[in-house]
């Protein structure tokens, strides 16, 4: 995901500058083909050669670090481009296919501090880098009161970058501008601390989701069974009211108990959750939908429920079920916004 994890890399730049080091930041601004790292990836380099992050999974890091050290010394920006058609690409190790364009600049402390503040307050932002002039602008396109001096094009494209979780290049008044979104981590709210919830919570956490397990039964929802998840010992309807699922939240019910699952699904359907899933057989799901119709939900709303949840992989074990659910969640999350 193009999310907070790269801000953890950028936080190293602030620490190093505070300690008196010169620092440069390399950012992947364009890729073609099978480039190993996506646009928006960062590599932070300090003046003694120490580095954090990655722009190519190891393929071109040495060349980028050399460039970053020059940038620290000169305080001048540089751009690098590597591809399999370039002799230099073979020299640095990018023989696996694809091309990559990397922008290297001196660290701008004020920009970094604003980005880290957004991470701490969980506010989605977009960094606009003006590649010709080296300027930076922090955009908060979903906030009210966007500054009037920000062109509407950038605001509109910044919204798309956040919605699609994708970095890309645009042109503003003839200047190339790179838009890099920083979204809060996507959330997964699991209803029911059942057996299948354990691998689901663990795997979701490993790929960057903030995981919350909701179950009023404290004997089920224990830290020993869910060591990396946030546990909420409340009835699902009450918990979801406070958690307020948004467009970066998935809600998955696993209990097979209508007293727990149905109120959770009703609350999720009234929210902006990007994914709503319910475990159970087709017969169980048909009965569930009939109960939801009785609560006044129409067919368009009910179509949002993925049930039985998970891609049809022939999953048998709880871990395989978890894989099928996560695969379906990721598929939905990554669909282009229309």
């Amino acid at each position: 995901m193009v999310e907070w994890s790269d801000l953890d890399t950028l936080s190293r730049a602030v620490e190093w500058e505070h300690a008196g080091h010169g620092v440069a930041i390399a950012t992947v601004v364009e890729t073609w083909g099978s480039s190993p790292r996506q646009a928006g990836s960062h590599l932070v380099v300090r003046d003694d050669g120490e580095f954090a992050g990655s722009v190519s999974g190891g393929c071109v890091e040495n060349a980028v670090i050399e460039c970053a050290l020059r940038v620290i010394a000169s305080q001048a920006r540089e751009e690098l481009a590597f591809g399999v058609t370039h002799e230099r690409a073979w020299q640095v190790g990018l023989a696996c296919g694809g091309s990559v364009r990397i922008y290297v600049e001196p660290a701008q402390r004020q920009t970094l501090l604003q980005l880290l503040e957004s991470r701490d307050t969980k506010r989605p932002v977009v960094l606009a880098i003006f590649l010709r002039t080296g300027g930076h602008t922090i955009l908060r396109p979903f906030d009210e009161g966007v500054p009037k001096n920000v062109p509407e094009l950038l605001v509109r494209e910044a919204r798309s970058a956040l919605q699609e979780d994708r970095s890309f290049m645009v042109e503003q008044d003839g200047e190339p501008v790179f838009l890099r979104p920083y979204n809060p981590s996507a959330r997964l709210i699991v209803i029911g601390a059942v057996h299948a919830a354990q691998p689901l919570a663990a795997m979701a956490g490993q790929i960057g989701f903030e995981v919350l397990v909701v179950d009023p039964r404290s004997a089920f929802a224990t830290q020993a069974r869910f060591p990396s998840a946030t546990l909420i010992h409340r009835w699902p309807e009450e918990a979801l009211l406070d958690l307020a699922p948004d467009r970066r939240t998935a809600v998955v019910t696993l209990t097979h108990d209508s007293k727990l699952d149905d109120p959770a699904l009703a609350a999720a359907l009234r929210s902006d959750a990007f994914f709503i899933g319910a475990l159970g057989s087709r017969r169980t799901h048909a009965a569930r939908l009939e109960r939801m119709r009785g609560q006044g939900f129409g067919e368009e709303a009910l179509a949002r429920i993925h049930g039985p949840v998970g891609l049809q992989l022939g999953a048998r074990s709880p871990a395989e079920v978890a894989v099928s659910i996560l695969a379906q969640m990721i598929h939905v999350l990554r669909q282009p916004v229309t």
Side-chain angles (χ1 to χ4, degrees):
M1 298 181 184
V2 186
E3 296 169 346
W4 298 133
S5 56
D6 277 318
L7 285 180
D8 296 335
T9 298
L10 295 183
S11 69
R12 300 292 295 277
V14 175
E15 295 171 8
W16 291 342
E17 278 204 329
H18 186 70
H21 288 281
V23 180
I25 297 175
T27 302
V28 176
V29 294
E30 280 188 307
T31 64
W32 302 267
S34 58
S35 177
R37 289 284 281 162
Q38 63 183 335
S41 300
H42 297 302
L43 178 73
V44 175
V45 182
R46 74 183 192 190
D47 50 17
D48 61 358
E50 183 75 19
F51 65 92
S54 173
V55 288
S56 73
C59 295
V60 303
E61 257 72 6
N62 284 341
V64 176
I65 290 169
E66 291 175 6
C67 176
L69 293 175
R70 293 196 303 271
V71 166
I72 293 171
S74 67
Q75 291 296 290
R77 305 177 306 279
E78 291 192 33
E79 285 193 33
L80 301 171
F82 303 104
V84 292
T85 58
H86 303 142
E87 180 181 353
R88 179 62 168 156
W90 286 88
Q91 294 173 355
V92 299
L94 193 65
C96 54
S99 302
V100 61
R101 178 181 171 195
I102 299 170
Y103 181 76
V104 188
E105 61 181 334
Q108 297 192 28
R109 184 178 181 83
Q110 191 57 41
T111 295
L112 295 174
L113 291 176
Q114 289 184 63
L115 291 175
L116 295 178
E117 179 187 15
S118 296
R119 177 195 62 181
D120 295 341
T121 57
K122 296 187 177 182
R123 297 174 65 193
V125 297
V126 176
L127 171 62
I129 304 177
F130 295 78
L131 300 186
R132 186 173 299 159
T133 62
H136 286 178
T137 297
I138 302 292
L139 301 171
R140 297 182 175 87
F142 291 109
D143 285 3
E144 294 183 5
V146 174
K148 293 183 179 180
N149 63 337
V150 177
E152 177 57 32
L153 168 68
L154 287 186
V155 175
R156 185 171 63 251
E157 296 291 356
R159 289 196 187 104
S160 296
L162 286 170
Q163 289 172 333
E164 299 176 16
D165 234 357
R166 183 174 63 90
S167 300
F168 53 84
M169 200 83 71
V170 297
E171 189 170 291
Q172 174 63 41
D173 295 333
E175 179 174 9
V177 182
F178 180 66
L179 298 179
R180 205 304 187 181
Y182 298 91
N183 266 312
S185 296
R187 293 188 299 173
L188 168 60
I189 302 174
V190 179
I191 307 299
V194 297
H195 192 33
Q198 291 179 268
L200 178 59
M203 293 179 192
Q206 289 173 347
I207 63 173
F209 280 84
E210 177 189 358
V211 181
L212 305 98
V213 177
V214 178
D215 197 316
R217 303 167 296 184
S218 57
F220 285 73
T222 66
Q223 213 66 64
R225 298 183 71 229
F226 299 92
S228 59
T230 298
L231 304 179
I232 301 175
H233 298 123
R234 300 176 63 187
W235 288 95
E237 187 174 21
E238 299 173 358
L240 288 176
L241 185 63
D242 288 341
L243 292 173
D246 57 17
R247 60 186 177 83
R248 289 185 61 76
T249 303
V251 179
V252 177
T253 66
L254 300 177
T255 74
H256 298 283
D257 185 340
S258 61
K259 296 192 303 297
L260 295 173
D261 287 355
D262 287 8
L265 291 172
L269 288 172
R270 297 187 187 102
S271 77
D272 293 327
F274 79 87
F275 183 91
I276 303 170
L279 191 64
S281 67
R282 286 183 173 83
R283 179 180 297 179
T284 297
H285 188 59
R288 176 188 295 130
L289 294 181
E290 197 59 37
R291 292 194 302 271
M292 303 304 290
R293 291 186 185 98
Q295 296 184 43
F297 290 101
E299 298 308 309
E300 183 177 353
L302 296 179
R304 295 177 60 198
I305 303 175
H306 296 268
V309 69
L311 297 182
Q312 300 306 303
L313 306 178
R316 295 181 179 179
S317 69
E320 290 176 347
V321 170
V323 169
S324 73
I325 294 172
L326 279 177
Q328 191 175 47
M329 285 170 46
I330 293 168
H331 176 72
V332 173
L333 180 63
R334 296 306 179 206
Q335 291 304 298
V337 177
T338 57

